[in-house]
Amino acid sequence: QMQLVESGGGSVQAGGSLRLSCAASGRTFSSYVIGWFRQAPGKEREFVSAITRSGGYYADSEQGRFTISRDNAKNTVYLRMDSLKPEDTAVYYCAATTGRRWTRKDDYPYWGQGTQVTVSS
């Protein structure tokens, strides 16, 4: 199976920035869509961003603040988060799929362990 490991989470003040990384195994990394989801206490896991061969896509709440990119040579996907808000506080997960749909958590068979992001006001 595909293996994914997130890193880069931590605590930051409102308005600050973080860059999350998702390191993946496998020689066919470039064939996967990589998505980012987040889950706050008491809330459903929600879509944040994904990168496909057509480019990056974002949920409305992240548009203009988050940037997703990938480095296929390093088997790594990045999520840069700028202008962070307290409502961005959550555990962030990366996930991988070879399917044609990638906006729902059920579209992804492979998941990382998650990394905590805490934004203080």
Side-chain angles (χ1 to χ4, degrees), residues 88-107:
D88 295 319
T89 296
V91 176
Y92 284 70
Y93 300 88
C94 69
T97 182
T98 58
R100 297 178 62 86
R101 291 178 285 190
W102 39 262
T103 60
R104 299 168 59 252
K105 61 183 185 296
D106 291 344
D107 297 329

Side-chain angles (χ1 to χ4, degrees), residues 11-31:
S11 298
V12 64
Q13 294 183 8
S17 299
L18 287 171
R19 189 182 73 163
L20 307 183
S21 298
C22 177
S25 65
R27 297 172 65 182
T28 59
F29 171 75
S30 62
S31 68

Side-chain angles (χ1 to χ4, degrees), residues 6 18 24 26 37 46-47 54 56 66 71 81 85 94 117-119:
E6 303 98 331
L18 287 171
F37 290 77
E46 66 176 356
F47 174 80
S54 299
F66 290 9
D71 186 338
M81 305 184 293
K85 305 174 181 179
C94 69
V117 171
T118 302
V119 184

Side-chain angles (χ1 to χ4, degrees), residues 42-70:
K43 295 185 178 180
E44 186 177 332
R45 190 171 300 188
E46 66 176 356
F47 174 80
V48 175
S49 181
I51 188 161
T52 74
R53 66 180 182 87
S54 299
Y57 297 86
Y58 307 90
D60 289 344
S61 61
E62 288 76 50
Q63 186 70 44
R65 299 189 299 122
F66 290 9
T67 303
I68 191 169
S69 62
R70 71 193 300 164

